[in-house]
Every structure is written in C-alpha cells, then in structure tokens.
Amino acid sequence: MSEKMMNTAAFEVPKDKFRFVPMEGRTHDKKLETKPVGYFRDAMNRFRKNKGSVAAAWIILLLVLYAILIPIFCETPYSRALTDTMYLNYTKLPPKIPFLGIDGCSDVTVNSGKYHYYRAIAEETGLETIRATYRADYKDPTASGKSTFYDLRVDNYTSMGMLYLTLTGDQFEDIQKWQDEHGIQVIYPAIKDAKQTDANIWYEVDKKGQPKLDKEGNLKSIYRTTTPEDTAYHSLRIAADNDPEHPMAYARVAGTSTAKSYVTRINKYTYFQYRYGFEPGFVFGTNARGQDIFTRLAAGARFSFLLAICVSAINLFIGTIYGAIEGYYGGTTDLVMERISDILAEIPFIVVTVLFQLHLAKKVGVIGALLFAFVLTGWIGMASRVRMQFYRFKGQEYVLAARTLGARDSRLMFRHIFPNSLGTIITGSILVIPGVIFTESSLTYLNIVNLESSTMTSVGTMLANGKDYLATDPYIIFFPALFISLLEISFNLFGNGLRDAFNPSLRGAD
Amino acid sequence: MGKYVLKRIVLMLFTFLIIISMCFILVKLLPNKPAKQFGKDMQLIEMRREALGYNKPLLEQYVIFLQRSLIGQDWGVSEVLYLGQDVWGKFIEKMPATVIVNAYTMLISVPLGLLLGIYAALKKNKWQDQLISTLVVIFVSTPSYVYAFLVQYFLCFKLKWFPFQMNAGYDYFSWSTFVSIVPAVMSLGFGTVAQLTRYTRAELTEVLTSDYLLLARTKGLTRAQTTVRHALRNAMVPIFPMILGEFIGIMGGSLIIEQIFGIPGVGPLYVASVSSATPDYNFFLLLSAFYTLIGLVSGIIVDISYGFIDPRIRMGSRKV
C-alpha cells in the first residue's frame, strides 16, 4: 500500500498510459505443474520405496483383520459352546485345511492290537481311519514279546471312534429324528459286555486286548440283541443288523421305569455333526482341552492388539503433555520433572506389574491392573522423545515470530512446535505396540497375569498350555508362536520403515 | 571424574531407597493374614507372626526393615515357598545357576555378534551385508521363547542332541551340565547376537565413512590396519559400555527361558513367589530389590565406562 503511494508520489503517470488487465490469460508466475508435496506425502513416498516395510505393513493388516474378523464370522456353535463340556471329547485334533492338503492325519507306529482297533472303527462306522499302510505286520527286534507292528497313516478325526453317552428319552428321540432326516448313523448298537469300558471294542477280545479273529481273519461282533417289540429305537440300523427275528439293541436302558435313560454308543464324528451342524475340521486344530485354536488365537490376538493400542494411545497422551511441558519450559521445571520420571523409569516393569496385580486386580480387574502397570512407566519413553523434539524446535525463528505476535504458551506448544515433531511421535507410538504385545505375552506365559477364561485368552497362555504337548502335538504351540513371531517381525520392520521415512537422516542407525 | 562418579552413586542409592521403600509399604498394605482352615493351629500361627514382628506398627516395621534387611542382609524367612527357611540363603543358593547360564550366553554371543557386525559393515551394501541385516531384523524381533520352543523341539526332541531340562544338582562345571545348559544358552543367544550385530554394524559404518579414516588411508595404511586400529577402536566407544551393561544385566536373567529349561535360578523363584495364591512377600521384596539394583547398577556402569573409555565424553552424563 505504502509502496504504491510512494510510487505515485515519485512518478506522475499520465492517465492514458493505464490499461485494463486482460482477465483471460492473467500474467502469473509460472504455474506449478506438479502437485505440492507435503511432509506426510513425502514421508509416504519414501516409505513406499522400502519394500520390506510395505510387505510388513500388509502382514500386519492381515493379522489385524484376522483378529477382528475371525471372532465375528468364524464363531461356530462349537467355539461358542462355553458351558458345554462335550468339547472335552474332541481334544488334540490336528489342523485340517482340505484345500491346502493338510488332512488331519498323522503317521504312527502301532502294535497289532491297536491296528485292529483302528480297523474295527473303520469297519463299524464306514469312515476311513487308516489312510495308508506303509509297513504291515513286522517284528521289531528291539521290542519284547510276540507283538507285531504296523506303520500307518491314521486320520485323527475319524479314528476318534465311539463314546458312551447317557441320554434322556427326549434326547434319544431327537437324535433318531436327526438320523432319519440326514441318513447318518450316530447311535451304534450296544454290546453284550456291559463292563467293557472302551466303547470302541465291539468285537471279541482276549485278556490282553488282542482281538479274537475267525478263520477268515474277521472280527467277531458282540452286539447285544433285543426283542422285535422294543420300539424305543426305530431309526437307521447298521448293515450287519439284518436279522428281523433278533434285531440289535441300540441302547442299554437304565434308570427307573418312569424316568428311563439310555446308555448309547455314539460315534464322535457323526455326533459332532448332529450337535454342532458341521463336520469336524479345525483349521488350526484343537488344544488339549478341545478348544478350537483358530478362534481362540484370534480372541487372544484381538485382546493383544486392543491392549497395545490403548497403551500406545494413553502413553502418547501423557507422554506428549509431560514431554512438552518439560521441553518447552526447561530449567528447574525440566530438572524436577526429569528426576521424577528417572525414578519411575528405574522401577523394574515386572515389579510394577506384580504390585498392581496384587493391589488392583480385585478392584479394577486383571486387565485394568495390567493396563495401569503398562501406563505407569510406559509414557516415559514418549515423554523424553517429545522433550527432545521440543528442545530442538523451541528456539527456532518461527516460534519466536509466533510469540512476538502474542501466541499463548499452549498455542505455541501444540500448534507450532508439536506438528513438527509429529513424525517422531507417530513412529514412537507405533514402535510401542510390539513391545507391549511381547511383554503381555511374556507375563501371561509366566502366569503372573492370568486372563484365561472360557471366552478370553491370551497368546502367552496358549503358548504355556501348548508347551506341555511340544513333543507329541507341536501344532498346539506352533500357531500362537508363529503368530507372535510374525507380528513382532513385521511390526519392527514397519516401525523402522516409518522412522526412516519420517526421518531420513536417521536411516540405518541402530 | 571422581566427583561425577560419587554423585551418580549417591543418586543411585537415593533412587534405590525410594523404590524399595515404596515396594515395602505397598506390600505391607496387602492383606497378609493366613485364612482359618481346618487342621491349622491358628494360635500357633499367631504366635509365630507375633514373634516375627508382623503385628507391629507399619512405621516400626519399616525401620526394622531398613536396619535388618538393607544393611544386615536379613530378609526374614519364607512364608509360602520354603516355609521357615532363610530367604537370603535361598536366594544365594539359586544365584549361581542364573549367573552361569547368562555368562555362557555372553561369552558366546559377544564375539559372534561383534564379528558378524564387523563383517557386515565391511561388506556394506553387498549381498553379505543385506543377508546379515535381513536376518538380524528377524532374529532381533522374534521373542526368545520362540527360539526356546524351536530348540527344544528340533534339537532336544527330534535330534536328541541335548536333554530337555538342565541337570539338577549343584555340579555346575561338569561336561554333562554344560551340555544341558546349551539349549538355554542358544535360545538366549540368538537375540543377543542379532542385537549386537546390528549395533556394531551401525556404529562401524558410521566411523568407516569419517574423514580421519580417509586420512589414515591416504597416508598409506592398509585397509585392515585402518579398520582394526582406527575404526574399530572408535566404534567400540558406544559398543563396549553396552556390552558391559548387558553383562551386569544378565544377572537378572531371563524369566521365561529359565522356566522353560528348568534352570534352578532366580527367575523361577521370582515367578513362583508371586504367582501362587498367597504370594511369598519376603521373597518378592528381596527379588524386587535385586532387580531394581541390577537395573540401576548396569545403568551407572554404562555411564561411567563411557567416561573411562573416551576422554572426550568425560564429565557430564550420557546424552541420548
């Protein structure tokens, strides 16, 4: 304005020299041909070039989706059945993923008694229990006695065999109705020898448990027969039950005459179909208590993620404010606050956790106490990071300019300095997440924090439970261990990538 | 230098006193009365508690605690785990196993980590470096208990090279005990080696690109000479304190690894003392004090050793 006035004062420009600016084709500076690249876009571009970090980001996304979606969509009557003790009968079933060729079978070496046991299940139920016989009927010179051995590939799902189940009249009736509808045999004939504890032995055996075979090498059945008038069972009958004069009995009747109960031999495989509505097949297998690992791991993962994000957010909040005040004011304030956080930082985390569990677990719950423990010392790292950034930026000219214009302290701190340290802060809070998940899994593994319940679990507890079956059923521990390793690796890769992207000068450090 | 060390030590003792006092008071505030139970002689228990001084006012107990425990090494007797036994004696008895496992880990992983780090730094941006760096990211991130499971499954169970658990007994230096410790050492070692490799590589690459190294080359030193005499020595400035700090820190041990491999050390003692239905408070207090002290001492040693190694950083604390 003043310049213009000066100009007019200096030169008297005649009026006819003036002309209108043409509105089309205005004479600007050269227009920018590309879009302006901001701080975050620049960081994103750099991040995208780091292939490892991008891959890690995708893996994290997959794991998060797994944790979110599986508990919602893959909930079955089986994994939801919490009060149902039936799942105790489906323990340690190996993974079965049909389209990947993982069929739930395992290679075993058994003696002849066990071999006939598997054979008998296959013969009775018509399900294929022995998938392949690698070596049959051989003698092992190191083993004593006359027993011979078989190398087999056994289907763990179909070889579960039979189970004695005591049913009420209504339940008995209901299963029969289902059998008629679906044409699948669930209840199998009762056997003569009521003392036989193993429901799978439907054939004659000697005292050692070896089957007594007839001349053709077939098993001799010991099914119980009944009178044709007995109409309690009126559903499907097995193929061998073809004598109308002496039909087989499908239950041993117990209880009083008014309240009858039926002791039945049911097939675990088909009973599963009747009870839960689908064929048994667990993607990650079941654990030693019969719980589905696939949904349970997802529940544990979901908890881990939620906890880590909560801790990260709370740390960010407290740490930012604390660090900002420290860094901005400096001097005595900084000194006193630093001493406080120094002392807090020196308390071993495990001691904090235990004390919080002992004091607070009854009042705010185990999870609340765990969260408090994480937050008590967790924000210190963030605070020191923010403090450093504030020291770096607070003396710069743009802050001085804002101050001269009369900006308040809080405005200077959070409007002017804070956005500049955002990159470091974001990286820091992302890198907190794997640490929290790792610590949480360690604590639950050691049973210092116990989150186990019918609906809840944690990765650490799953690992601790699976460890007892490391030699016999390694898949129980494999999937939780794989999950946590993948998570830790990809989070660290992702975090490092972010740090490099936001702060290229730090690339390769640490 | 002397003044600085003194200042740090006084500050450390002060911090330690605050933390342990907090622990003491928080523990004493917890309910610690044995429940009535059939077959328990409550009168006897009450007499015992009276004799041990559990019924005195909190402040008086605190003064006794300061005098007898912190100064006199008398941390009371165990209430739950080893009923009636001296807590301090039990702790000293458990110490060697932890120290030995962790000392072996350091002995093996420090040279390995340094060598790999130096190799990666010398081959910077070649395929060897890239391979090592990729492996390092994987090995640093994987939790140590995952290695423990892998080692236990493949080496102990499948190949039968090592026993599943550490040998019982106090015969720490026999060959069979050493073999039984190897799985634990390996599980702890993977992470340590990877961390050290990463650190060494980062430090060394930074030094290798500096001007004085170029000067050393121009005046006619061979590459090996510059690397060993100039670069390595300067790179060791931050690396050595870190190793030293870890060496002290290993006394704390790894809780999970000790539990997995059945090492009769301090870690399982701590876990057992807090995870039972009624915690063993005396053990808890002693071990909390121990872990706190370990952390403090390793921090202070790191800081002071900086000054001793590199005169340039003498005076003033380490600034991150």
Side-chain angles (χ1 to χ4, degrees):
Chain A
M1 197 75 169
S2 57
E3 210 171 307
K4 209 171 176 186
M5 276 163 69
M6 261 168 62
N7 279 348
T8 43
F11 311 102
E12 282 298 324
V13 182
K15 222 170 189 174
D16 58 293
K17 287 262 173 127
F18 283 102
R19 58 187 166 86
F20 287 108
V21 175
M23 284 305 281
E24 65 280 359
R26 289 176 65 175
T27 52
H28 266 299
D29 285 341
K30 198 183 172 200
K31 207 176 174 193
L32 289 172
E33 271 162 18
T34 50
K35 274 185 187 169
V37 179
Y39 178 57
F40 279 94
R41 179 149 294 278
D42 192 31
M44 274 314 289
N45 286 344
R46 267 195 300 259
F47 180 78
R48 235 176 259 137
K49 274 185 202 135
N50 191 339
K51 291 217 178 59
S53 297
V54 173
W58 281 108
I59 293 175
I60 293 171
L61 187 70
L62 276 182
L63 293 177
V64 170
L65 283 180
Y66 167 71
I68 294 173
L69 297 181
I70 298 303
I72 298 172
F73 292 112
C74 290
E75 190 89 296
T76 59
Y78 183 79
S79 54
R80 217 186 299 122
L82 310 168
T83 51
D84 184 5
T85 51
M86 197 62 209
Y87 63 76
L88 290 173
N89 290 306
Y90 297 99
T91 61
K92 295 192 250 173
L93 290 171
K96 188 173 183 180
I97 315 169
F99 56 88
L100 286 182
I102 299 167
D103 53 1
C105 296
S106 52
D107 295 337
V108 288
T109 300
V110 295
N111 62 18
S112 53
K114 194 78 184 171
Y115 169 73
H116 287 297
Y117 176 91
Y118 287 139
R119 213 188 104 195
I121 294 171
E123 205 172 299
E124 187 178 31
T125 61
L127 298 166
E128 199 183 1
T129 54
I130 299 171
R131 289 297 180 87
T133 310
Y134 301 122
R135 218 174 140 199
D137 214 14
Y138 67 93
K139 289 215 181 225
D140 187 354
T142 57
S144 62
K146 286 174 281 180
S147 46
T148 54
F149 294 90
Y150 292 79
D151 287 350
L152 307 172
R153 185 165 180 77
V154 174
D155 187 330
N156 287 288
Y157 283 85
T158 50
S159 66
M160 288 187 291
M162 301 290 173
L163 168 80
Y164 282 126
L165 202 64
T166 307
L167 304 171
T168 64
D170 290 345
Q171 288 169 332
F172 194 46
E173 202 52 43
D174 194 44
I175 297 181
Q176 290 184 45
K177 220 162 89 190
W178 187 84
Q179 282 194 147
D180 290 337
E181 259 172 48
H182 293 80
I184 299 170
Q185 189 94 34
V186 175
I187 304 173
Y188 281 82
I191 50 178
K192 275 180 199 156
D193 188 0
K195 280 180 202 148
Q196 185 59 265
T197 47
D198 191 337
N200 285 307
I201 313 286
W202 57 270
Y203 46 90
E204 276 186 62
V205 286
D206 62 14
K207 277 174 190 157
K208 280 180 182 167
Q210 295 286 341
K212 291 181 187 167
L213 303 175
D214 64 10
K215 277 168 198 159
E216 284 110 50
N218 290 324
L219 300 159
K220 289 191 268 186
S221 67
I222 47 167
Y223 289 130
R224 183 192 285 257
T225 53
T226 184
T227 52
E229 288 82 49
D230 185 12
T231 53
Y233 187 82
H234 48 72
S235 180
L236 301 178
R237 289 173 178 276
I238 62 168
D241 186 8
N242 46 16
D243 185 357
E245 290 302 308
H246 304 286
M248 288 176 188
Y250 281 74
R252 195 157 52 76
V253 183
T256 59
S257 57
T258 46
K260 278 186 187 166
S261 62
Y262 299 88
V263 181
T264 51
R265 277 175 75 230
I266 57 146
N267 182 359
K268 281 196 205 173
Y269 192 87
T270 48
Y271 183 74
F272 191 100
Q273 283 173 279
Y274 156 71
R275 188 161 183 135
Y276 303 112
F278 61 101
E279 275 190 58
F282 300 99
V283 178
F284 287 177
T286 61
N287 66 11
R289 294 176 64 199
Q291 292 154 329
D292 177 24
I293 294 175
F294 187 63
T295 46
R296 223 161 155 70
L297 181 63
R302 186 174 55 173
F303 170 73
S304 292
F305 278 126
L306 273 180
L307 181 81
I309 290 168
C310 280
V311 170
S312 180
I314 297 173
N315 281 352
L316 181 71
F317 184 70
I318 302 178
T320 308
I321 293 176
Y322 197 93
I325 293 173
E326 270 184 321
Y328 184 76
Y329 291 109
T332 324
T333 323
D334 183 29
L335 200 74
V336 173
M337 288 173 92
E338 269 291 274
R339 285 295 87 74
I340 294 172
S341 64
D342 271 357
I343 291 177
L344 273 179
E346 293 295 352
I347 313 177
F349 179 71
I350 190 124
V351 174
V352 177
T353 322
V354 171
L355 281 173
F356 273 65
Q357 287 295 323
L358 293 174
H359 270 281
L360 289 175
K362 287 208 179 71
K363 285 173 207 151
V364 296
V366 176
I367 301 171
L370 184 64
L371 189 66
F372 275 130
F374 270 116
V375 168
L376 181 75
T377 54
W379 54 267
I380 294 170
M382 183 55 74
S384 69
R385 210 168 274 135
V386 174
R387 174 174 169 266
M388 227 157 63
Q389 296 295 320
F390 267 70
Y391 263 108
R392 203 171 120 198
F393 289 116
K394 76 174 176 184
Q396 296 200 350
E397 282 78 5
Y398 72 94
V399 179
L400 190 68
R403 197 199 298 279
T404 334
L405 286 174
R408 275 173 293 120
D409 281 354
S410 58
R411 190 181 167 83
L412 281 178
M413 273 149 93
F414 295 107
R415 273 298 172 86
H416 294 269
I417 307 180
F418 184 73
N420 274 308
S421 48
L422 211 55
T424 332
I425 291 168
I426 290 174
T427 317
S429 40
I430 293 280
L431 280 172
V432 162
I433 292 174
V436 171
I437 293 178
F438 171 65
T439 315
E440 179 256 335
S441 71
S442 306
L443 289 173
T444 47
Y445 181 91
L446 291 169
N447 208 13
I448 288 174
V449 178
N450 192 356
L451 303 163
E452 186 77 359
S453 73
S454 50
T455 43
M456 262 280 290
T457 189
S458 53
V459 183
T461 316
M462 296 187 78
L463 289 167
N465 292 340
K467 202 204 150 263
D468 300 341
Y469 308 96
L470 184 65
T472 49
D473 306 274
Y475 60 85
I476 296 179
I477 203 165
F478 175 74
F479 290 103
L482 179 75
F483 171 79
I484 196 123
S485 311
L486 262 185
L487 187 77
E488 294 291 321
I489 294 169
S490 42
F491 251 113
N492 278 331
L493 267 176
F494 176 66
N496 288 349
L498 267 191
R499 186 200 53 205
D500 292 348
F502 278 121
N503 222 337
S505 60
L506 277 180
R507 184 170 301 168
D510 103 321
Chain B
M1 190 70 194
K3 200 176 148 200
Y4 170 64
V5 172
L6 201 72
K7 199 177 118 196
R8 286 299 310 259
I9 289 176
V10 169
L11 203 68
M12 182 196 92
L13 289 178
F14 179 66
T15 314
F16 177 68
L17 194 70
I18 289 179
I19 292 173
I20 201 67
S21 303
M22 264 173 9
C23 283
F24 178 81
I25 288 164
L26 284 173
V27 163
K28 286 295 163 187
L29 287 179
L30 287 166
N32 187 17
K33 282 244 158 130
K36 264 189 191 157
Q37 207 180 333
F38 180 74
K40 256 190 197 168
D41 189 347
M42 289 313 283
Q43 216 179 350
L44 193 74
I45 291 173
E46 202 40 57
M47 274 161 68
R48 202 175 134 260
R49 289 174 59 82
E50 181 69 44
L52 287 169
Y54 285 138
N55 295 336
K56 290 189 174 128
L58 189 59
L59 212 62
E60 206 182 324
Q61 283 193 48
Y62 178 60
V63 174
I64 295 173
F65 170 74
L66 289 185
Q67 284 173 345
R68 306 242 337 236
S69 302
L70 288 185
I71 302 165
Q73 290 184 354
D74 176 10
W75 291 77
V77 291
S78 170
E79 298 278 306
V80 184
L81 287 180
Y82 301 91
L83 187 63
Q85 290 192 41
D86 181 31
V87 166
W88 177 261
K90 209 73 202 166
F91 166 69
I92 292 297
E93 185 189 312
K94 298 271 185 192
M95 203 60 202
T98 301
V99 172
I100 280 188
V101 169
N102 291 295
Y104 278 137
T105 308
M106 288 310 278
L107 276 181
I108 293 168
S109 46
V110 166
L112 212 60
L114 283 180
L115 279 178
L116 282 174
I118 293 167
Y119 184 71
L122 291 180
K123 300 270 175 189
K124 199 187 170 200
N125 293 337
K126 297 209 176 97
W127 67 267
Q128 293 100 326
D129 174 41
Q130 255 140 27
L131 180 72
I132 289 176
S133 299
T134 317
L135 287 179
V136 156
V137 171
I138 293 172
F139 277 93
V140 157
S141 318
T142 315
S144 62
Y145 48 74
V146 174
Y147 301 129
F149 301 141
L150 290 175
V151 166
Q152 219 170 31
Y153 185 72
F154 287 107
L155 302 186
C156 302
F157 172 65
K158 286 272 168 181
L159 298 171
K160 296 189 177 59
W161 287 357
F162 308 106
F164 269 83
Q165 306 258 294
M166 183 181 161
N167 286 0
Y170 298 101
D171 182 18
Y172 294 124
F173 292 101
S174 70
W175 177 248
S176 71
T177 309
F178 176 72
V179 170
S180 69
I181 289 177
V182 170
V185 170
M186 282 173 77
S187 324
L188 282 172
F190 281 123
T192 322
V193 169
Q195 215 166 358
L196 208 59
T197 306
R198 178 159 82 168
Y199 206 64
T200 311
R201 181 191 169 274
E203 288 299 329
L204 201 57
T205 41
E206 205 181 303
V207 176
L208 280 174
T209 50
S210 58
D211 291 340
Y212 60 80
L213 227 70
L214 193 65
L215 178 74
R217 285 301 299 277
T218 22
K219 79 182 182 192
L221 295 182
T222 62
R223 203 177 154 166
Q225 279 172 325
T226 52
T227 310
V228 175
R229 287 191 204 158
H230 295 260
L232 210 53
R233 278 178 83 167
N234 276 294
M236 283 312 266
V237 171
I239 295 169
F240 186 72
M242 182 194 143
I243 295 172
L244 212 60
E246 289 236 332
F247 232 105
I248 310 286
I250 57 167
M251 302 277 281
S254 166
L255 295 169
I256 291 189
I257 297 294
E258 286 190 17
Q259 208 192 35
I260 290 176
F261 292 104
I263 291 156
V266 179
L269 192 67
Y270 187 79
V271 174
S273 77
V274 296
S275 57
S276 56
T278 47
D280 201 324
Y281 294 121
N282 287 341
F283 268 124
F284 173 65
L285 267 181
L286 172 60
L287 294 175
S288 301
F290 170 66
Y291 284 129
T292 311
L293 202 60
I294 287 291
L296 288 167
V297 168
S298 67
I300 206 169
I301 294 233
V302 167
D303 283 0
I304 293 173
S305 64
Y306 264 109
F308 274 111
I309 296 164
D310 190 355
R312 284 173 303 181
I313 335 178
R314 205 160 286 171
M315 291 311 297
S317 59
R318 173 176 49 127
K319 281 271 173 275
V320 185

